[in-house]
Amino acid sequence: MTHFHNEPPTDFSQAANRDLFQQALDEVSDQLGNEYPLIINDRVVETKGVIVSTSPSHKNVVIGKVSSATKVDAESAIAAAKAASTAWARIEPKYRVEHLLLIAKHMADRRLELAAWIVHEAGKPWEEADGDVAEAIDFCRFYAEHSLTLFEPRRVELAGEENEFLFRPCGVVVVIAPWNFPLAILTGMTVAALATGNTVVMKPAEQSSVVAAKFMEVLIEAGLADGVVNFLPGIGEEIGPTLVQHPDVSVIAFTGSRNVGLEINRLAAAVDQHQHGVKRVIAEMGGKNAIIVDDDADLDEAVLGVVQSAFGYAGQKCSACSRVIVLDGIYEAFLERLVGAVTSLKLGPAEAPSTVVPPVIDRTALDRINEYIEFGSREFRLAVAGEVPKELAKEGHYVAPHVFADVDPQSRLAQEEIFGPVLCVLKAKNLNEAIQIANNTEYALTGGIYSRSPANLARARRELQVGNLYLNRSITGALVNRQPFGGFKLSGIGTKAGGADYLLQFVVPISVTENTLRRGFAPKSKTK
């Protein structure tokens, strides 16, 4: 029986909470531009190379300067994690759990501050940033609770024989985290490894390395032993191959793009002469997610859910809706309401409480998204062409919401992950065709349907090929334990984060059998 409860969101409808968060944003603003070193074996390591983290909302504002690890630093971090692994693995699970709960407490105590850092560095609006911290706290508490159950010995005793089934840690885990959930996903992968007795080399995304440095502060506050977690920010192309291919690494936990995830899987599969096992890869690699709108759906609810799913955090979630498949009979009526809702969305800097659509993460993302918009504008009907005010365009990396209608299901726009505020509207003759269109991608992460028909909802349960299916609600915002998150096909490798079986990926199962019918006794040892 689980005792876990999700951390509730901050209620920003309360003036007191708004004032407190604005104060946190102002206090963090006063700390911008600081320097953050690597932390290897609990020692500060400063490097010549530096990652300069800037604000998506204000591209000339420096959030912080973070040391950038070299290949030698990566090797040192792995060596430190390996040296610490035996002692950490031998600690009783209940004591490891105490560390996880302490990490959760420190994050809860610093909740508004951490959320403010996320607003400034990752460009998340208030509620999104607050939810990021709440999810990180949830991961700590949930995995702490489940690790206790996992490590309870399971015995079968027969006459003359005792059998025990147990788990042991894998060893050194490399965590490679994304920028779009800069605290939650980084925390989830790291504490899952810690809860199961593994040590960690933590490599955050370049764009959110300051938030990761703040998480490292929390880990240090929790009193982890030297080398149990090593903080290794750096350029992925420079240190990634070392982290993935090193013979002393047992598990790579990754969240990010499909191309990088598949390359990690390829490199990790190679076994060299110094390696004593096959590496495990846990990879969450994105989606091309669809919501079907049935011809009997409540259009007001459907429009609201689609807009939230497509344009929340500017579409920069792997769970975001990028395709809405609408049945022919209500297509134009739905599109008309959708256009009205999307054109009302407020585009602006993440720190502004009224912002609904914030900037995208950086210039590279902006250029890539604009290429898709240019392609879509040539090929399809442009139902919404949002414009970025000149002052915002000069200030940060802004892309206004775009909606394309009558999109060909086989087109690049409908098949490739865009990771921005771009939505395709596709027409289907009936539910059969809608399901066929929805399933016809290389991904299988999230999806949903709006329908009043129990039979059609049942069909969606059976036939939609997604890891997380949502009926008559938005398809983003999965909560730990309630909606364990993860997909299949080219959306991911491994089981679901925030689920009861996630920890099994970080352990090795062991079966021990003892013959208890002894013949004679061992002689007493002689002492001098």
Side-chain angles (χ1 to χ4, degrees), residues 346-365:
K346 177 68 182 299
L347 178 73
E351 73 273 11
S354 60
T355 290
V356 176
V357 182
V360 297
I361 191 65
D362 57 21
R363 180 57 186 264
T364 300

Side-chain angles (χ1 to χ4, degrees), residues 61 88 155 165 175 237 277 338 365 402 420 429 438 446 477:
V61 173
W88 180 247
R155 294 186 175 90
F165 183 78
V175 168
E237 292 83 355
L338 178 69
H402 280 68
K429 296 190 295 287
T446 68

